[in-house]
Amino acid sequence: MENGSLSQGEGKDPSAFLSEIIGNSVTVKLNSGVVYKGELQSIDGYMNLALEKCEEYVDGVKKRSYGDAFVRGNNVMYISAD
């Protein structure tokens, strides 16, 4: 924070951000290092999430495509809006 201004993402409630990006493309990185890219369909307070049109990447290489994927929240390292 410089000169009292907020930088991008500062001061924003994470649950508000997540509810804003439902229906958009996201990247989800798991604690194992596996990355899922897809369209966020739902998320709950435990960060359990549902993705549509989902692709799985391991070490940057696409391994699988899924119609729907469900990820348990305790496995999530981060969620990034694309």
Side-chain angles (χ1 to χ4, degrees):
M1 186 155 51
E2 190 171 312
N3 297 332
S5 64
L6 291 177
S7 66
Q8 183 178 358
E10 270 190 272
K12 195 170 202 177
D13 178 22
S15 62
F17 164 73
L18 292 169
S19 64
E20 286 175 12
I21 63 170
I22 290 177
N24 294 325
S25 294
V26 295
T27 298
V28 179
K29 186 168 185 177
L30 304 185
N31 295 326
S32 66
V34 175
V35 173
Y36 290 94
K37 295 183 179 188
E39 188 177 297
L40 183 64
Q41 291 304 305
S42 67
I43 188 159
D44 66 13
Y46 297 101
M47 285 193 33
N48 297 318
L49 52 95
L51 299 172
E52 284 187 352
K53 304 174 199 160
C54 185
E55 297 175 335
E56 179 183 62
Y57 293 83
V58 178
D59 296 326
V61 178
K62 182 177 170 182
K63 292 293 183 179
R64 294 185 184 98
S65 292
Y66 300 101
D68 296 323
F70 300 93
V71 180
R72 187 172 171 176
N74 67 338
N75 295 312
V76 175
M77 181 183 296
Y78 70 77
I79 301 171
S80 173
D82 293 340

